[in-house]
C-alpha cells in the first residue's frame, strides 16, 4: 500500500438548483500526507470529498489521482476508499464479511480474503472479533471496522468524512491517535474532512480551511493557528479577540488601525494600505493584564472592565468588556497574579507582533 | 386493558371489544370452522335423498302438466298458446300427454274435445283425481326429504381422497402457476420499488406512488377486461402489429394472446403488482443509502450491490410481497375465468367454484378449498424458512 497525490484543477460544483457548493478550486494533496479540510457545515468540504471519490462529477475542472485524470471513472474504479460519517457498515454481514466485501467484489477467493480480512482486523486491533455483527461492537470498534474495510481494497487515497463525530470526547481523542498511527503505518494518503479544529490541527500534516465553497488557507497547524491569512480563518480556528477599524498608518511589517478603543497595531502580512477597512485579531492567551508593572513591552493598551472570572484549572478565563466590546483573556494560573474582582476596571494589552491585521471582507 | 379503558373510556372500550370479538368469531373462526366441518363430512349423493329429490321433481312436472290440460279443457281458446314443457316425461300415459317431438300436439289436443262433452267431462274428473293424488304424494315425499332420516351424512376423509387424478394435477399445476406469478411479480416489482425508494426527492416518490395507486381505484373486473381488450385477437396489440404491417387482419392473421396461461400470468401480475411493490418499497426505503455508496466505493458492481446489500435488507418485504401475491393468485378466480375463457389449463380455483356451484357439492368444494389453504400455509412457512424471516420481521 502506498499513497498517491491528488490534484484538483479549477474544480467547482454547481448544483442544478443554482447553488454553488464549491467555487473553482486548485489544490494539491501530496502523496502519503494526512490532509484535513476544515470548515463549518455546508462549506462544501463534503462535496470536494465526493468529487474526489467519484460520486459527484465536478461542474468545471478536473480531478487527478497519482497524475491520472479521473474523468469518467466511477467510484468503484478509483484508487480511493471513502469512510462515511455514519460509517455505513453492512449490518447484516459479520465484521469479517464487512472487511472482506471489497475483496469479494474483486473476485478474490474465499480463503484468501478471509486471511486478508483477519490481517486487517489485527492491524486495527480487532483480532478475534471477525465473527460478530457490527451491531454488537462499541462505537470505537465500529470505527476501526470501517477503517479496515476501506483499507482492505488497498486504496492509494483514503477519504474520511467526519468519521469521529459520533464518538464521545475521550474515544475521539483516542481514535485520533489511532488514525494517525494507521496512516503512518500504511503510508496511504488520508484526506480528512472535519469541522472540529482540534482534530484537524492535531492529526494533520496540512490543513485547508474552507468557507462558503472556497478554500481560504492551506498550511500546517502552526501556520493556520499563528498566521491566519483571512478573517474567516482567523476566527474559525481557535478563539480570537477582534477589533475593527481603518488603517491609518503602515510600515514594512506592521499596520496601525484606528478603532473606537483607540489606535492599535499589529502585523500586516497581506499588504493593507491606508484607508482600508481592517480587523485586528489577537488570541486571548496572547493578551495580558497591564497592572503592577506588567505593562512593559505591551505595545497596545485597552481599558477594559472585568465582567467575569472563570477558573479553568491551569488557566483563568477573564471575560471583559471594553467600550461595549467583549474581550477575553486566558491567563496562566500562576497563583501570584493580581486579585481581580468583577466590575473592576482593568487595563489590558498585547504585543504588536502577536496581533494580526487582516482585511475586513464585508 | 387498563390502558385502553383509561384512554378511550368505558363505551368505546366496550365497543372495541365487541367489534374485535365479532370480527374474530363471526368473520374468521365460525366460517372457517363450518368450512372445515363440511370438508370432512360426506354427503351420500347416490343415496335416498338424491332419489327423493328426483322423485319430487318429477311429480311437480306432472302436476304442472295436469294443470295445463285442465285449463285446456275448461277454456279451450285460452289454452292455445301454452306449449307443454318439452322436458315433461309421459308419466301415467295420459291420452292428452303431448309428444315432446311435436310442438303442435297441444294445439290439436285442445281443439278436439269440443266434439264430445261427455268424454271431456270424464277426462276432467280423471285428471282432478290424479292431481289430488300427485299433491298428496309430493307432500309426503317432501316431509321425508326434510326429515333427518333422509340426510345421509357421515364424517370421513373421502372428500379429499376421492379427488380425481385430473383435479390433483390441476391442484399441483395451480401451485406452480401461482409460484410463477409470484416470481414474475417480483421481477417486475423489485426494480419499480427500488426506483421509487431511491427517487431523488420526496415529491417524485409521491408522484410515482400515486401513478402506481391510481389504477387500483378502478374496479378489478374492469382492469381485467381492459387487459382482455389489449390481448384480444382483434385487440390492441394485434392492431398495433397490423398497423406496423407485421400481421394482416384482412388475411385473418393475428395472435391469440388471451386464453393462454401467459396471458393469465400477465394479467395476474398486473392485478397484484401493488401487493408486491409496497412491502418491498417500504423495506428498501429504510436502507441507508450510504451503504449502497459504500458498496460501490469498495468496487462492487450493480448486480453485487443488489444481491449483497439491497435484497438482503429488503428480505422481509420480499417475503411479505411473495406471500400476498402467492395467496391472491392461487385463489384468484376472476382472472383465469375471464382471461382464460376455459381454453387454457384450468386453475384450481375454477375447479373449486365448479364443485360448489355446478356440481353442487359443497362438501367436496370445502375439502378442495381446505387443501388449497393448507398448501398456501405450507408455502408461507416455506418462504419464511427460505428467507430466514420471522413473524417479527414481517410485522416490522
Amino acid at each position: 500500500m502506498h499513497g498517491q497525490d491528488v490534484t484538483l484543477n479549477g474544480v467547482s460544483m454547481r448544483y442544478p438548483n443554482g447553488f454553488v457548493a464549491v467555487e473553482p478550486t486548485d489544490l494539491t494533496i501530496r502523496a502519503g500526507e494526512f490532509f484535513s479540510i476544515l470548515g463549518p457545515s455546508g462549506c462544501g468540504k463534503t462535496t470536494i470529498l465526493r468529487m474526489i471519490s467519484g460520486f459527484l462529477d465536478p461542474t468545471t475542472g478536473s480531478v487527478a489521482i497519482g497524475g491520472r485524470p479521473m474523468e469518467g471513472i466511477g467510484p468503484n474504479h478509483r484508487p480511493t476508499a471513502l469512510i462515511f460519517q455514519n460509517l455505513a457498515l453492512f449490518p447484516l454481514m459479520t465484521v469479517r464479511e464487512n472487511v472482506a466485501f471489497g475483496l469479494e467484489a474483486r473476485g478474490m477467493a474465499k480463503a484468501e480474503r478471509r486471511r486478508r480480512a483477519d490481517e486487517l482486523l489485527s492491524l486495527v486491533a480487532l483480532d478475534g472479533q471477525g465473527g460478530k455483527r457490527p451491531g454488537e461492537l462499541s462505537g470505537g470498534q465500529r470505527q476501526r471496522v470501517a477503517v479496515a474495510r476501506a483499507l482492505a481494497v488497498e486504496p492509494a487515497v483514503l477519504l474520511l468524512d467526519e468519521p469521529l463525530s459520533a464518538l464521545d470526547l475521550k474515544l475521539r481523542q483516542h481514535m485520533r491517535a489511532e488514525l494517525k498511527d494507521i496512516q503512518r503505518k500504511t503510508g496511504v494518503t488520508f484526506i480528512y474532512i472535519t469541522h472540529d479544529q482540534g482534530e484537524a490541527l492535531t492529526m494533520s500534516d496540512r490543513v485547508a480551511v474552507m468557507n462558503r465553497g472556497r478554500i481560504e488557507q492551506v498550511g500546517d497547524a502552526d501556520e493556520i493557528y499563528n498566521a491566519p491569512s483571512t478573517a474567516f480563518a482567523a476566527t474559525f480556528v481557535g478563539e480570537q479577540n477582534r477589533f475593527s477599524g481603518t488603517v491609518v498608518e503602515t510600515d514594512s511589517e506592521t499596520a496601525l488601525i484606528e478603532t473606537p478603543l483607540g489606535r492599535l497595531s499589529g502585523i500586516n502580512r497581506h499588504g493593507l494600505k491606508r484607508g482600508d477597512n481592517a480587523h485586528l485579531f489577537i488570541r486571548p492567551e496572547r493578551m495580558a493584564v497591564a497592572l503592577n508593572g506588567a505593562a512593559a513591552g505591551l505595545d497596545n493598551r485597552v481599558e477594559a472592565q472585568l465582567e467575569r472570572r472563570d477558573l479553568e484549572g491551569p488557566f483563568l478565563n477573564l471575560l471583559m468588556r471594553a467600550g461595549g466590546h467583549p474581550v477575553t483573556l486566558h491567563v496562566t494560573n500562576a497563583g501570584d497574579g493580581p486579585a481581580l474582582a468583577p466590575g473592576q476596571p482593568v487595563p489590558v494589552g498585547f504585543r504588536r507582533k502577536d496581533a494580526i491585521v487582516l482585511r475586513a471582507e464585508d | 386493558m387498563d390502558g385502553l379503558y383509561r384512554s378511550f373510556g368505558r363505551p368505546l372500550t366496550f365497543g372495541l371489544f365487541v367489534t374485535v370479538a365479532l370480527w374474530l368469531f363471526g368473520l374468521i373462526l365460525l366460517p372457517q370452522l363450518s368450512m372445515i366441518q363440511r370438508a370432512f363430512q360426506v354427503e351420500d349423493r347416490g343415496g335416498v335423498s338424491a332419489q327423493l329429490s328426483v322423485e319430487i321433481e318429477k311429480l311437480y312436472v306432472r302436476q304442472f302438466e295436469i294443470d295445463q290440460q285442465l285449463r285446456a279443457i275448461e277454456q279451450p281458446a285460452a289454452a292455445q298458446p301454452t306449449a307443454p314443457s318439452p322436458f315433461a316425461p309421459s308419466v301415467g300415459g295420459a291420452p292428452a300427454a303431448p309428444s315432446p317431438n311435436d310442438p303442435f300436439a297441444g294445439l290439436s289436443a285442445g281443439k278436439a274435445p269440443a266434439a264430445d262433452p261427455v268424454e271431456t267431462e270424464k277426462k276432467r274428473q280423471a285428471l282432478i283425481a290424479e292431481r289430488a293424488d300427485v299433491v298428496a304424494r309430493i307432500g309426503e315425499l317432501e316431509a321425508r326429504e326434510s326429515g333427518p332420516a333422509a340426510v345421509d351424512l357421515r364424517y370421513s376423509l373421502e372428500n379429499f381422497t376421492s379427488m380425481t387424478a385430473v383435479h390433483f394435477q390441476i391442484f399441483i399445476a395451480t401451485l406452480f402457476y401461482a409460484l410463477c406469478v409470484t416470481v414474475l411479480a417480483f421481477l417486475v416489482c423489485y426494480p419499480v420499488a427500488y426506483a421509487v425508494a431511491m427517487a431523488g426527492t420526496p415529491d417524485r416518490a409521491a408522484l410515482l406512488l400515486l401513478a402506481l395507486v391510481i389504477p387500483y381505484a378502478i374496479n378489478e373486473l374492469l382492469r381485467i377486461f381492459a387487459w382482455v381488450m389489449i390481448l384480444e385477437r382483434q385487440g390492441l396489440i394485434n392492431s398495433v402489429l397490423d398497423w406496423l404491417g407485421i400481421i394482416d387482419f384482412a388475411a385473418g392473421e393475428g395472435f391469440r394472446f388471451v386464453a393462454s396461461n401467459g396471458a393469465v400470468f400477465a394479467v395476474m401480475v398486473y392485478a397484484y403488482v401493488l401487493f408486491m411493490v409496497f412491502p418491498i418499497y417500504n423495506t428498501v426505503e429504510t436502507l441507508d443509502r450510504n451503504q449502497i455508496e459504500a458498496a460501490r466505493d469498495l468496487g462492487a458492481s450493480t448486480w453485487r450491490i443488489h444481491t449483497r446489500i439491497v435484497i438482503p435488507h429488503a428480505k422481509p418485504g420480499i417475503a411479505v410481497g411473495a406471500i400476498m401475491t402467492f395467496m391472491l393468485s392461487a385463489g384468484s378466480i376472476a382472472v383465469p375465468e375471464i382471461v382464460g375463457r376455459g381454453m387454457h389449463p384450468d386453475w384450481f380455483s375454477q375447479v373449486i367454484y365448479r364443485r360448489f356451484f355446478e356440481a353442487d357439492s359443497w362438501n367436496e368444494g370445502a375439502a378442495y378449498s381446505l387443501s388449497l389453504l393448507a398448501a398456501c400455509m405450507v408455502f408461507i412457512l416455506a418462504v419464511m424458512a427460505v428467507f430466514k424471516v420471522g413473524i417479527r420481521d414481517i410485522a416490522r
Side-chain angles (χ1 to χ4, degrees), chain A residues 50 76 82 86 104 106, chain B residues 288 293 296-298 308:
Chain A
R50 292 176 70 82
N76 45 346
L82 178 58
N86 68 354
E104 185 193 323
R106 279 159 175 72
Chain B
D288 173 14
E293 294 200 336
R296 175 158 300 268
D297 188 59
L298 292 168
R308 291 286 275 138

Side-chain angles (χ1 to χ4, degrees), chain A residues 284-324:
Chain A
E285 70 271 17
R286 303 281 174 88
M287 289 184 81
V289 176
L291 279 176
N292 307 343
L298 300 180
D299 319 290
N300 295 288
R301 294 281 294 268
V302 173
E303 293 302 323
Q305 192 173 29
L306 184 66
E307 286 206 320
R308 225 171 71 208
R309 174 183 171 278
D310 294 343
L311 178 64
E312 224 181 88
F315 50 85
L316 275 167
N317 290 344
L318 302 176
L319 307 177
M320 314 207 182
R321 224 155 240 291

Side-chain angles (χ1 to χ4, degrees), chain A residues 318-342:
Chain A
L318 302 176
L319 307 177
M320 314 207 182
R321 224 155 240 291
H325 194 80
V327 176
T328 308
L329 271 74
H330 293 174
V331 184
T332 315
N333 183 16
D336 57 354
L340 297 173

Side-chain angles (χ1 to χ4, degrees), chain A residues 228-231 243 245-257 266-281 356-361:
Chain A
S229 61
T230 67
F243 303 99
T246 318
V247 179
V248 289
E249 217 181 292
T250 60
D251 62 23
S252 59
E253 277 183 4
T254 63
L256 188 66
I257 68 170
I267 304 288
N268 175 16
R269 219 178 260 111
H270 297 278
L272 269 67
K273 287 188 275 301
R274 266 186 77 155
D276 286 344
N277 286 330
H279 296 306
L280 181 142
F281 293 99
I356 293 165
V357 179
L358 293 168
R359 192 180 304 279
E361 272 148 12

